[in-house]
């Protein structure tokens, strides 16, 4: 179903290992082509007749499911706990994608593997970050490039919802009214959770309003809540936490008497533990960004993620953590 709004985002790979994805795609597509001779088709909806929407990570899948309701089958390529930046697609991922009716990706160079993943697949996809007020990375080798973590602002996520409503309505016009209604209801929840977040973080005294994390993934949240963001590395990559980066974080925490520091769930907190040891600052806890938890974990939904992170940050910076 060609559509001008659906596009193939070209994302430059950051390390040589991503070059192997194209070969994997070619091999799987060859197998799929042979299987097609036996009658295999796309958009099977696992036999229930619903169009299949595939997202690149679990946060998008949760939001997309709220917009889709019971009209579409929504699945995530990556699983709970996966680190999205350097994910390496499997042949099974490619086979699943080949049968989807629509793929949603974040864009903004988040999914370094994505362009080769979709190369050769005759499946439309939509970039859900389209229209956000993009912040640029200000440090390291990524300086000047877009910070991809736009979903960490619930205000931005409302734009994501608009883009999903548009994409789903073009995919399944008969249910456009349902997608519009679902989107409006979920946007109201997003506004509520944003108001809660801002109100909670407003209780942090001015002198303590510095958010120090492992990755620079909180620029949009910090902008919403009026926090200063400091991080060890700008973007998760294969080589992380150089001595210079750790030293810089230590110096900032000491100079500003930062009461607590944090790290994300999908990376090792060992570098931040070095900062804690060198400064006496507390480790405030684990924050979630790139992935939801399992259903019985602390952040099974995006709304839970924002509430959890707001709580952990506030308690850490005010010394209220138990």
């Amino acid at each position: 179903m060609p559509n001008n709004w659906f596009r193939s985002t070209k994302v430059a790979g950051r390390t040589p290992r991503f070059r192997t994805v194209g070969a994997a795609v070619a091999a799987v597509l060859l197998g799929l082509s042979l299987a097609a001779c036996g009658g295999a088709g796309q958009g099977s909806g696992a036999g229930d007749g619903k169009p299949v929407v595939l997202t690149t990570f679990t946060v998008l899948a949760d939001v997309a499911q709220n917009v889709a309701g019971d009209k579409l089958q929504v699945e995530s390529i990556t699983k709970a706990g996966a680190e999205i930046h350097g994910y390496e697609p499997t042949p099974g991922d490619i086979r699943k994608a080949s049968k989807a009716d629509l793929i949603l990706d974040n864009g903004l160079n988040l999914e370094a593997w994505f362009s080769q993943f979709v190369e050769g697949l005759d499946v439309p996809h939509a970039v859900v970050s389209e229209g956000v007020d993009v912040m640029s990375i200000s440090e390291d080798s990524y300086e000047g490039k877009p910070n991809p973590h736009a979903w960490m602002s619930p205000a931005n996520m409302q734009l994501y919802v608009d883009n999903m409503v548009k994409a789903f309505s073009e995919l399944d016009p008969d249910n456009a009214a349902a997608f519009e209604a679902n989107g409006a209801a979920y946007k109201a929840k997003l506004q509520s959770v944003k108001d809660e977040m801002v109100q909670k973080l407003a209780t942090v005294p001015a002198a303590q309003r510095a958010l120090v994390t492992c990755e620079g993934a909180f620029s949009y949240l910090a902008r919403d809540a009026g926090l200063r963001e400091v991080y060890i590395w700008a973007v998760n990559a294969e080589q992380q936490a150089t001595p210079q980066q750790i030293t810089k974080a230590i110096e900032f925490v000491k100079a500003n008497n930062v009461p607590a520091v944090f790290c994300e769930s999908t990376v090792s907190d060992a570098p931040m533990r070095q900062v804690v040891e060198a400064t006496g600052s507390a480790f405030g806890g684990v924050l979630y960004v790139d992935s939801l938890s399992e259903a019985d974990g602390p952040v099974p939904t995006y709304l839970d993620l924002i509430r959890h992170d707001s709580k952990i940050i506030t308690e850490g910076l005010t010394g209220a953590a138990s």
Side-chain angles (χ1 to χ4, degrees):
M1 53 187 69
N3 190 291
N4 290 334
W5 192 74
F6 297 130
R7 63 198 62 204
S8 296
T9 302
K10 297 299 181 183
V11 183
R14 284 179 284 176
T15 63
R17 64 191 175 122
F18 295 123
R19 292 173 189 161
T20 63
V21 177
V25 171
V28 174
L29 288 178
L30 176 59
L32 291 170
S33 296
L34 296 174
C37 297
Q42 289 189 346
S44 65
D48 63 7
K50 295 178 184 178
V52 176
V53 176
L54 204 58
T55 72
T56 49
F57 60 113
T58 55
V59 173
L60 294 187
D62 174 63
V63 177
Q65 189 64 72
N66 278 275
V67 177
D70 61 358
K71 307 302 182 185
L72 306 173
Q73 178 180 326
V74 179
E75 301 176 11
S76 173
I77 296 170
T78 57
K79 306 303 182 184
E83 203 292 301
I84 185 66
H85 295 270
Y87 182 73
E88 296 186 67
T90 67
D93 294 330
I94 299 165
R95 283 192 292 270
K96 181 185 291 187
S98 72
K99 297 179 182 179
D101 295 284
L102 173 66
I103 301 175
L104 302 181
D105 69 296
N106 182 79
L108 302 178
N109 297 333
L110 175 71
E111 304 97 336
W113 44 273
F114 187 75
S115 64
Q116 292 186 354
F117 176 74
V118 298
E119 185 177 349
L121 296 179
D122 185 22
V123 180
H125 83 272
V127 181
V128 292
S129 65
E130 192 165 291
V132 302
D133 181 10
V134 177
M135 301 181 72
S136 296
I137 298 170
S138 59
E139 298 181 18
D140 297 344
S141 59
Y142 297 94
E143 183 175 0
K145 296 182 179 180
N147 187 310
H149 305 91
W151 69 88
M152 289 303 293
S153 162
N156 283 345
M157 190 58 91
Q158 294 187 47
L159 292 173
Y160 280 50
V161 168
D162 289 340
N163 289 329
M164 290 178 185
V165 169
K166 183 177 181 180
F168 294 171
S169 297
E170 294 178 354
L171 174 67
D172 185 4
D174 290 343
N175 287 307
F179 301 139
E180 186 71 33
N182 293 343
Y186 190 69
K187 285 171 67 175
K189 293 180 181 180
L190 290 171
Q191 185 60 49
S192 178
V193 82
K194 182 199 173 185
D195 293 343
E196 291 175 27
M197 177 188 77
V198 172
Q199 183 178 14
K200 186 179 291 291
L201 290 171
T203 65
V204 179
Q208 297 165 218
R209 300 182 66 78
L211 178 57
V212 181
T213 59
C214 288
E215 183 190 12
F218 293 88
S219 300
Y220 297 93
L221 183 151
R223 182 172 67 182
D224 282 356
L227 300 175
R228 179 178 180 185
E229 181 196 31
V230 178
Y231 45 81
I232 296 179
W233 59 81
V235 175
N236 288 340
E238 283 191 278
Q239 301 299 322
Q240 298 172 349
T242 65
Q244 294 82 2
Q245 289 172 326
I246 295 175
T247 297
K248 184 177 180 180
I250 290 171
E251 291 174 348
F252 177 86
V253 171
K254 284 182 175 179
N256 293 275
N257 297 312
V258 178
V261 296
F262 309 87
C263 200
E264 299 76 56
S265 66
T266 55
V267 297
S268 170
D269 64 6
M272 192 59 80
R273 295 289 183 178
Q274 294 182 51
V275 176
V276 169
E277 183 176 355
T279 63
S281 178
F283 183 75
V286 174
L287 304 178
Y288 286 78
V289 179
D290 295 339
S291 176
L292 300 179
S293 66
E294 297 288 353
D296 59 351
V299 295
T301 73
Y302 172 75
L303 298 178
D304 291 324
L305 182 154
I306 296 297
R307 291 190 178 103
H308 169 90
D309 285 2
S310 300
K311 178 177 182 290
I312 295 297
I313 294 167
T314 301
E315 291 180 349
L317 296 183
T318 59
S322 57

